[in-house]
Every structure is written in C-alpha cells, then in structure tokens.
Amino acid sequence: MKGVKLLKGEEVKAVLRPHFMAFLGFYLAWVYVAAVGVLLTVYSARLGFLAGKIPLVGSMVQAKYIVLTLWWLALIVPGLIVSLVKVDWKWLLAFIVVGFAGSLAVLKLGIWCLALTAFLVGLVGVLVCEAYRRSHVYVLTNYRIVMKGGLLGRVMREVSYSRISDLVMEKPLLGRLFGYGTIIPVTPSGLG
C-alpha cells in the first residue's frame, strides 16, 4: 500500500475505505442547504416577492428581508441542533458561513440568486465530503491496523493488534441494510 511501510514479515490482508452510507449525514446536510435555497426562491416567486416590495402591516417591506429571515432560520436552527447533538460547533459555523454567502447574493444580486448560490454551495459541499471520504484508507495487515486520511493535511495512525484491549462495533439500521458498520479498536490508553 502506497505510503505505508510494511514491517519485516508483515503482509497486507485488506485495504478498506469508508462506505458511502457512513457519510450520508454529511451529504444530506449539503443537499438540505441547496434545497432550502431553491425552495425559498420558488416560494418567493409564487408570492410575487421577486417584484421587490410587498405590503405588510400598513407599510412596504422589502421582500428580500423576509426571504433572508426565512433563510437564516432554516440554516441556524438545524445547524444549532446538529451541533448540540454531535457536540461539534463546526456545523453551526459552516451553516453561518453559508448563511452569509446566501445573504450577500440576495442583497447584491436579488432574491433569484439565492437558489443559484445555495445550489452551488450544496454541490461544493457534497463534492468536498466525497473527496474527504475517499481520502481515508484503512490498511489491515497481519500485525496492525493503519489509518491514513485527511483532505488538506494527512493524518496517519496505527495500532498493533497486541495493543488492542477492546473493540467497539456499531451497526446502525441503515448499516444492516446496506452492509456497513463502524469498528473502533480501543487501546489501554483509551485511544480508538
């Protein structure tokens, strides 16, 4: 295997990559962003918001501010929920960055541009997730497990079988249906 130096007498038994379905949540998050942008633009067109101003409570309100409020709510609320569930604030930060990108598009170019911006951000997000998934390789030898991965920087971890004190195996419902799961080797130091 490229980049993995084998020890004396060591032979590669298997080379594995993460299953597509293991990253389904990441893909769906970016598809969600694209769908929200497209749906808000379609919703705006149906209500006539693309014309610019709408009457609201006796005054004329810029339609783009209503669309932007809905855009931010549709991003911040799920981003906050995912961040709390995963205990990882990168999701909220990513959704805030996407929110600003969509807001700039609407304020500079108009409501119609939200769909294009959201679609492009969603597409780039899905492509980056796929590149990240493909960058991970697990090499199983007769002595150890070697993991290589990383998109911008490379990380390589290895653990010999003699150091593994426990195996954590998870197979969610979708994993049982599509034939994938997660195995985490645990060492005495608690590293998985």
Side-chain angles (χ1 to χ4, degrees):
M1 180 69 213
K2 185 180 174 184
V4 176
K5 290 188 179 187
L6 297 177
L7 305 172
K8 186 176 181 179
E10 187 175 31
E11 45 186 82
V12 174
K13 297 295 185 179
V15 177
L16 307 169
R17 293 192 181 275
H19 193 280
F20 171 81
M21 293 296 288
F23 280 68
L24 184 63
F26 297 107
Y27 295 118
L28 290 178
W30 294 112
V31 169
Y32 171 79
V33 168
V36 165
V38 170
L39 290 174
L40 275 175
T41 304
V42 169
Y43 175 74
S44 299
R46 279 189 62 93
L47 293 179
F49 283 9
L50 297 180
K53 294 184 178 182
I54 56 169
L56 185 69
V57 193
S59 66
M60 297 299 275
V61 174
Q62 292 283 340
K64 62 184 170 187
Y65 295 118
I66 294 172
V67 171
L68 285 177
T69 301
L70 294 172
W71 169 247
W72 277 99
L73 284 173
L75 292 178
I76 295 300
V77 172
L80 189 59
I81 291 170
V82 169
S83 292
L84 289 172
V85 168
K86 298 238 181 228
V87 192
D88 187 357
W89 294 103
K90 286 183 252 180
W91 281 102
L92 182 60
L93 180 62
F95 278 28
I96 288 172
V97 169
V98 169
F100 277 116
S103 297
L104 284 174
V106 168
L107 293 173
K108 297 287 183 190
L109 303 170
I111 295 173
W112 61 272
C113 198
L114 182 61
L116 179 63
T117 304
F119 178 77
L120 290 176
V121 166
L123 179 65
V124 168
V126 167
L127 293 175
V128 168
C129 284
E130 181 62 13
Y132 183 75
R133 181 186 74 83
R134 288 177 180 259
S135 75
H136 283 73
V137 178
Y138 301 93
V139 180
L140 306 176
T141 72
N142 53 339
Y143 294 138
R144 63 193 171 139
I145 301 170
V146 180
M147 186 282 294
K148 289 176 30 175
L151 199 52
L152 299 176
R154 297 298 288 173
V155 175
M156 188 164 131
R157 294 182 65 183
E158 60 181 78
V159 64
S160 65
Y161 294 133
S162 63
R163 301 243 333 127
I164 296 173
S165 61
D166 191 15
L167 283 175
V168 178
M169 295 181 267
E170 298 174 353
K171 201 163 195 178
L173 176 62
L174 287 176
R176 284 186 248 143
L177 293 172
F178 294 105
Y180 73 92
T182 302
I183 299 175
I184 302 170
V186 180
T187 63
S189 64
L191 295 175

